[in-house]
Amino acid sequence: LQDGNTVVATGTGGQLHITFHTQEIIEVSYHFDSVPVDETLMEASRYITQPASSLVLDQPIVITEENHAFVLTCGQSRIVLERRYASVSLWYGGILQHGGRVGTADTVLPDYQIRCFTKPGSPDSFGRFNFPLFSADEFYGLGDKSGSPNRRGRRFSMFNRDSLGYDAANSDPLYKSVPFLLRINKEDRVTCGLLFNQSQIRLFDLGRESPYFFSVEVEGGPYSYVALLGENYHEVLKNYYSVTGFPALPPLFSFGFFGSSMNYVESDDAEKRILAYFSTIEKHQIPCEGMYVSSGYLKSPDGKRYTFLWNKEKFPDYKAFLTSLSKRGYNLCMNIKPGILTSHPWYEELKEKGYLIKDQDGTPYEEFFWGGEASFIDFNNTDAKQWWKQQLKEQYLNHGCTGIWNDNNELELEDFALEAYKTKSLYPIKMAEASYEVFKEAQPDRRPWIYSRSGYAGLQRFARTWSGDNVSDWKSLHYNQLMGIGFGLSGLPYFGHDLGGFFGAFPEEELLVRSC
């Protein structure tokens, strides 16, 4: 059955939907009768692929039947849908790009490309995709991952973790999980992208379990992916951006030299230290665009960091301080965190207004955070998002600050029963979107300058990123460069690293120089 750009195949126990967004962007979605549709997960999928709604298919879809299979042809793309097991093989330009049979006639492996595992009497379920793996296959992408840019032979968890002092060669997971995989096979002339457009991806196994298949596990349903085709990886990445959003171009000044160190703002004489830094810069005529202002300005006398509450002992008149630096031509990117500590002076007010992510009983959910127990701003709540944007304006934008640095936004919820757990991977994007919007509303003709430590597919349309709290050693310097390649091949073209490292021993002079 064809309905517009979508072909629906109905079989025992469910349906398979194949949607041609373009001839090179094809969505495959399995709907099982035994897995109820979760509207929260459906909305999350729509949010990830929201830019795809403007795509136009300019080629007809031709459906034929041959050798126990349906064949769908659209331009250079050809899909063979095997009738018995609903297995999909996707060809482009006459070359098999994705799919086919797993293993050989002698291997005991499932013929189904997707299997659904359900618990009797429980809505909990997960699906497992199994796709053929060939000897020359290489895999790139997945976001913030350690080790080599080629992910072949490894298994990766797909949730975001605050990973202070991580091993850049082996640690997993890290800060960002991007469910976009770029498959390259030079021998077979394959270049194919796969975007798993769901918010609850469990893991990717890229040949660690078996030399015959790679697999992806997904919680909830329906289970879908978007195949992204093209003549080369540039075209595949372009099609990925067409689905998840093109990167927001940062302002030109943000590519210049900036001061950045926690030591400036952690100390009691923070204001004096910052002013001394800029005086030194000016004295020696060193080109400098400004400073990344870390969270020490929010550190109260009790040692806690209270979101939006400036330490008045360090900064008696912070508004005048910010304004004066802005007038001197400096750009300030302000660190902010979405966790509201339960001891925060505003906590009860935010609780009363319903601006915090809720537990199952309707009270604010509490989770571990830097500094103690905290609840988190609910960016899915329109009023809460608006309140956050208003605070960004009042505390920063109105006093000349030109950048927002979203930090500690991994949202490591551990209660599976929470409604917010289903979309926790999208949390850093929603936070970045709020920051992006407030700048565009205040200055529509200027490019917003947004950083985010955590992220998922689509982060690039609002923010740039960096490799988090790396270690001050030569090993991290080496592997951070490889991680940067992984960022770029995950659709995150604007990225950086903490020069000389963030955690561990003070960097030696040569390490610091080499990092620059």
Side-chain angles (χ1 to χ4, degrees), residues 364-385:
Y365 177 78
E366 297 179 14
E367 187 60 90
F368 63 89
F369 195 63
W370 189 18
E373 296 295 310
S375 298
F376 299 88
I377 296 296
D378 183 359
F379 290 103
N380 287 324
N381 180 321
T382 303
D383 292 336
K385 180 181 179 182

Side-chain angles (χ1 to χ4, degrees), residues 313-363:
E313 295 180 9
K314 294 183 181 181
F315 299 91
D317 188 351
Y318 71 89
K319 296 179 181 180
F321 176 73
L322 295 175
T323 301
S324 67
L325 288 176
S326 175
K327 289 182 177 179
R328 287 168 67 176
Y330 294 117
N331 294 283
L332 303 180
C333 191
M334 308 301 296
N335 183 290
I336 198 65
K337 309 176 190 303
I340 309 298
L341 296 173
T342 55
S343 55
H344 194 297
W346 295 356
Y347 185 86
E348 289 301 322
E349 178 184 353
L350 295 172
K351 174 182 176 180
E352 183 68 25
K353 290 181 177 179
Y355 290 174
L356 304 172
I357 289 176
K358 292 182 175 59
D359 208 335
Q360 297 177 70
D361 62 3
T363 62

Side-chain angles (χ1 to χ4, degrees), residues 18-212:
I18 299 176
T19 300
F20 290 82
H21 295 287
T22 71
Q23 65 167 310
E24 296 178 339
I25 302 175
I26 303 167
E27 185 170 359
V28 179
S29 181
Y30 293 85
H31 300 248
F32 292 97
D33 296 340
S34 60
V35 180
V37 174
D38 188 314
E39 186 53 40
T40 298
L41 296 179
M42 290 292 291
E43 181 58 34
S45 179
R46 287 191 288 267
Y47 181 76
I48 294 170
T49 60
Q50 182 179 352
S53 61
S54 62
L55 295 174
V56 176
L57 179 65
D58 58 1
Q59 298 286 337
I61 302 170
V62 179
I63 304 174
T64 58
E65 187 174 358
E66 58 182 49
N67 298 328
H68 309 292
F70 294 103
V71 179
L72 285 59
T73 304
C74 182
Q76 294 191 68
S77 295
R78 180 173 179 263
I79 292 180
V80 178
L81 174 59
E82 192 270 339
R83 295 183 64 175
R84 184 175 181 184
Y85 298 111
S87 296
V88 172
S89 299
L90 204 159
W91 302 69
Y92 182 75
I95 299 172
L96 177 63
Q97 298 288 329
H98 169 69
R101 182 183 175 86
V102 175
T104 68
D106 296 322
T107 54
V108 183
L109 295 171
D111 290 302
Y112 297 101
Q113 290 179 347
I114 174 72
R115 288 177 292 157
C116 182
F117 300 82
T118 59
K119 300 176 183 178
S122 171
D124 296 335
S125 65
F126 74 92
R128 192 172 198 247
F129 289 100
N130 279 359
F131 299 121
L133 180 63
F134 301 95
S135 60
D137 279 349
E138 299 176 358
F139 296 98
Y140 300 89
L142 301 186
D144 205 348
K145 299 301 178 186
S146 61
S148 168
N150 182 4
R151 317 304 192 192
R152 174 70 183 261
R154 295 188 64 186
R155 179 186 290 128
F156 296 97
S157 297
M158 294 299 289
F159 64 90
N160 300 331
R161 170 71 77 192
D162 185 341
S163 308
L164 173 69
Y166 62 88
D167 180 344
N170 297 298
S171 289
D172 180 71
L174 299 179
Y175 301 92
K176 286 165 285 294
S177 302
V178 179
F180 167 64
L181 197 63
L182 181 63
R183 176 172 169 249
I184 303 291
N185 187 315
K186 296 178 182 178
E187 290 183 5
D188 297 334
R189 294 187 296 160
V190 171
T191 304
C192 176
L194 297 173
L195 166 66
F196 291 83
N197 53 327
Q198 291 125 326
S199 60
Q200 292 194 134
I201 309 294
R202 283 187 175 184
L203 61 85
F204 280 79
D205 187 305
L206 303 176
R208 186 182 180 102
E209 178 180 345
S210 169
Y212 297 108

